Amino acid sequence: MTSTDKRAAVPDELQRFIPQEIQKGIYYRVYTRKDGTSRLVWWVKLYDRQGRPIYESTDSSVYSDAVKLYKKLTAQVESQQRSGGDADSVRIGQLLDEFLKDGTHAKEETRYVYKLVVEKNLKPFFGKLRASKLTTDHTKAYRNRRKAELLARKLKACPTPTAQQRADWEKSAGATINRELARLRSAFEYASKQTPPKVIRIPHFHLESEKDNVRKVVLQDADYANLRDAFTDPGVRFLFIVSSHVGIRASELKRIKWSQVDVDRKVVTLERAKTKNNDPRSAPIFGDMVQHLADAKRERDEFYPHSEWVFSRAGEPIKDFREEWVKATKAAGIPDLHFHDLRRTAQRLMRRAGIDKITRMRIMGHKTDAMDIRYGVVEDEDIVQAGTKLEETFQATMGNRNGHRNGAAEGQPAEPAGPKIAPEVLAKLAAVPADKLKALLSLLSG
């Protein structure tokens, strides 16, 4: 069919959309709607540097929109931001599937989390979109929608938050979305390294700043016993006790076997393949850990002798304890406490006990000083204790030199040595008449 014949086949009401001359690489298609009416849409066709075709619709009946699109695509081809073939037609859902299958070397439990994020959040929003079409507007729209979802979930649990709580929720939601978009970016990076590449251009993924989003929550000393006693599941209570004592992660605790526990030496050993950083390490057994470990072993020996899991329910390893955690923290009056906050709690306990930094890092599995500092939350009570220790050190050293005994300033006499009189005794003596006081002192000196 010649161009004249093709034009003649266009319904009369659409003829006005077709100019006398049509630029090479631009063409139109006529679509018939369900109601019998017709619509003309302009398309663009050009080739990338490898000679692969690129087709794209303007979704418009205006010819000038096709001219603009042709120029835009030509510029993208020249800058190698656009290509034909698979790299032009692949969908983001396919990139995400391939990333989960072969694009990550994360551990099994981490891959499980990635899959949840992809299937529940990323694929429903981005899955049907062509990878070459992804823009900043798409990622911004995703961020806005997810933030609304996350905040709504928080508001359902706490309908009347304080301004500080809401600000913390905003920061937490931003960090969560950053992690989700990071998985999407990883999928693009993996696809770009294939032969031939499945994407030519990796878009910019804007991530919110997390500079002031370092969580500093620790379990307060006064809340420890209340929360410990609030658990109805002994296995989860044991998880809580151990993590609050030595800061072992939940994922690591749930995989500990009885063969890793040395009751005589009071040490539990974490195997290389079962730690987050792939480094073996050990932790001491002390405090409430001792009795609860004995109770758990007694129950296992009596009822489940073949179970190898230290933290178990009826001999089976504990996998999910979120429901029990939520109930217990609410009952104890600290619903905002996260299980991971127990790592900061344990780090504070070790620091107060005078455990050196290298040993602390070894027990908790920190590889860098920065992580030890990040988890080292300093509270007002720590400052008070520091002041007391500094006062003792000052009086024992600098305060006993050059006449500065007991805090006396230079040029002033130091307080006399000997026993000090309590303030309440001095107050009573001050109320005694002078003549009677002199008579009393003469009797004592005589």
Side-chain angles (χ1 to χ4, degrees), residues 347-382:
Q347 204 264 14
R348 181 190 61 184
L349 177 63
M350 286 185 263
R351 186 162 33 86
R352 287 177 174 176
I355 307 300
D356 64 90
K357 181 170 66 175
I358 294 177
T359 304
R360 286 199 310 265
M361 292 171 62
R362 186 67 178 174
I363 292 173
M364 295 189 64
H366 288 158
K367 284 191 171 184
T368 64
D369 291 349
M371 289 306 297
D372 183 71
I373 294 172
R374 182 185 179 111
Y375 278 75
V377 177
V378 179
E379 298 180 299
D380 290 344
E381 183 60 30
D382 297 317

Side-chain angles (χ1 to χ4, degrees), residues 200-248:
I200 303 301
R201 175 183 62 90
I202 299 177
H204 172 69
F205 291 87
H206 172 71
L207 304 181
E208 288 188 2
S209 172
E210 298 183 31
K211 182 179 180 181
D212 300 322
N213 192 32
V214 178
R215 188 172 171 85
K216 297 181 179 180
V217 177
V218 295
L219 177 65
Q220 299 301 314
D221 297 339
D223 293 326
Y224 169 78
N226 291 337
L227 182 54
R228 179 197 61 199
D229 298 339
F231 289 103
T232 58
D233 185 328
V236 180
R237 181 187 295 117
F238 192 18
L239 283 169
F240 158 74
I241 288 171
V242 175
S243 188
S244 63
H245 279 48
V246 291
I248 300 177

Side-chain angles (χ1 to χ4, degrees), residues 148-161 168-169 172-173 215 336 338:
E149 291 174 353
L150 293 169
L151 292 179
R153 190 182 305 168
K154 291 286 188 181
L155 286 169
K156 184 177 181 180
C158 180
T160 56
D168 292 342
W169 292 351
S172 176
R215 188 172 171 85
D336 289 334
H338 298 175

Side-chain angles (χ1 to χ4, degrees), residues 151-423:
L151 292 179
R153 190 182 305 168
K154 291 286 188 181
L155 286 169
K156 184 177 181 180
C158 180
T160 56
T162 64
Q164 183 59 51
Q165 280 180 315
R166 191 171 185 91
D168 292 342
W169 292 351
E170 291 269 357
K171 292 179 181 178
S172 176
T176 297
I177 299 165
N178 282 352
R179 303 295 175 274
E180 294 172 357
L181 289 177
R183 301 287 73 75
L184 181 59
R185 181 176 59 190
S186 297
F188 270 80
E189 290 173 347
Y190 178 70
S192 70
K193 297 175 182 177
Q194 304 306 300
T195 305
K198 294 194 174 181
V199 295
I200 303 301
R201 175 183 62 90
I202 299 177
H204 172 69
F205 291 87
H206 172 71
L207 304 181
E208 288 188 2
S209 172
E210 298 183 31
K211 182 179 180 181
D212 300 322
N213 192 32
V214 178
R215 188 172 171 85
K216 297 181 179 180
V217 177
V218 295
L219 177 65
Q220 299 301 314
D221 297 339
D223 293 326
Y224 169 78
N226 291 337
L227 182 54
R228 179 197 61 199
D229 298 339
F231 289 103
T232 58
D233 185 328
V236 180
R237 181 187 295 117
F238 192 18
L239 283 169
F240 158 74
I241 288 171
V242 175
S243 188
S244 63
H245 279 48
V246 291
I248 300 177
R249 301 174 181 90
S251 60
E252 298 170 336
L253 285 173
K254 289 186 288 185
R255 291 182 290 180
I256 294 178
K257 300 179 180 180
W258 285 108
S259 58
Q260 297 169 239
V261 179
D262 188 331
V263 177
D264 295 333
R265 295 176 59 238
K266 292 186 177 181
V267 171
V268 57
T269 301
L270 278 69
E271 299 173 353
R272 178 188 300 274
K274 297 180 181 179
T275 63
K276 179 180 178 182
N277 298 324
N278 289 323
D279 285 334
R281 66 181 197 273
S282 299
I285 299 172
F286 66 96
D288 284 347
M289 294 171 64
V290 177
Q291 184 59 50
H292 283 78
L293 180 68
D295 292 343
K297 190 173 189 305
R298 188 181 307 110
E299 180 182 355
R300 176 255 191 179
D301 292 345
E302 183 175 354
F303 299 105
Y304 317 106
H306 299 295
S307 175
E308 57 184 353
W309 307 104
V310 173
F311 303 95
S312 65
R313 290 190 182 112
E316 295 298 321
I318 295 175
K319 294 183 178 180
D320 191 343
F321 58 90
R322 285 174 292 183
E323 184 177 350
E324 173 74 4
W325 179 262
V326 170
K327 288 180 180 178
T329 51
K330 283 185 177 180
I334 43 177
D336 289 334
L337 186 74
H338 298 175
F339 190 87
H340 200 76
D341 296 334
L342 301 179
R343 282 176 60 75
R344 281 181 289 274
T345 304
Q347 204 264 14
R348 181 190 61 184
L349 177 63
M350 286 185 263
R351 186 162 33 86
R352 287 177 174 176
I355 307 300
D356 64 90
K357 181 170 66 175
I358 294 177
T359 304
R360 286 199 310 265
M361 292 171 62
R362 186 67 178 174
I363 292 173
M364 295 189 64
H366 288 158
K367 284 191 171 184
T368 64
D369 291 349
M371 289 306 297
D372 183 71
I373 294 172
R374 182 185 179 111
Y375 278 75
V377 177
V378 179
E379 298 180 299
D380 290 344
E381 183 60 30
D382 297 317
I383 302 299
V384 172
Q385 293 180 11
T388 302
K389 292 179 180 179
L390 287 169
E391 175 68 24
E392 294 172 354
T393 303
F394 175 80
Q395 295 299 345
T397 56
M398 299 168 62
N400 280 329
R401 298 181 183 181
N402 299 324
H404 289 265
R405 294 185 300 275
N406 301 317
E410 187 173 357
Q412 296 180 359
E415 293 182 9
K420 295 182 179 180
I421 301 176

Side-chain angles (χ1 to χ4, degrees), residues 90-101 111-131 134 138-139 142 145-146 149 179-185 187-188 205:
V90 66
R91 308 280 175 176
I92 292 179
Q94 181 183 344
L95 300 187
L96 291 169
D97 288 339
E98 292 180 355
F99 168 73
L100 288 177
K101 182 180 179 182
R111 293 167 70 96
Y112 174 73
V113 174
Y114 287 174
K115 184 176 181 180
L116 289 179
V117 170
V118 167
E119 298 295 341
K120 185 177 179 181
N121 301 313
L122 294 177
K123 283 182 73 173
F125 191 91
F126 297 105
K128 295 181 180 180
L129 182 67
R130 289 185 182 183
L134 183 66
H138 290 114
T139 56
Y142 176 80
R145 193 187 78 170
R146 281 289 290 140
E149 291 174 353
R179 303 295 175 274
E180 294 172 357
L181 289 177
R183 301 287 73 75
L184 181 59
R185 181 176 59 190
F188 270 80
F205 291 87

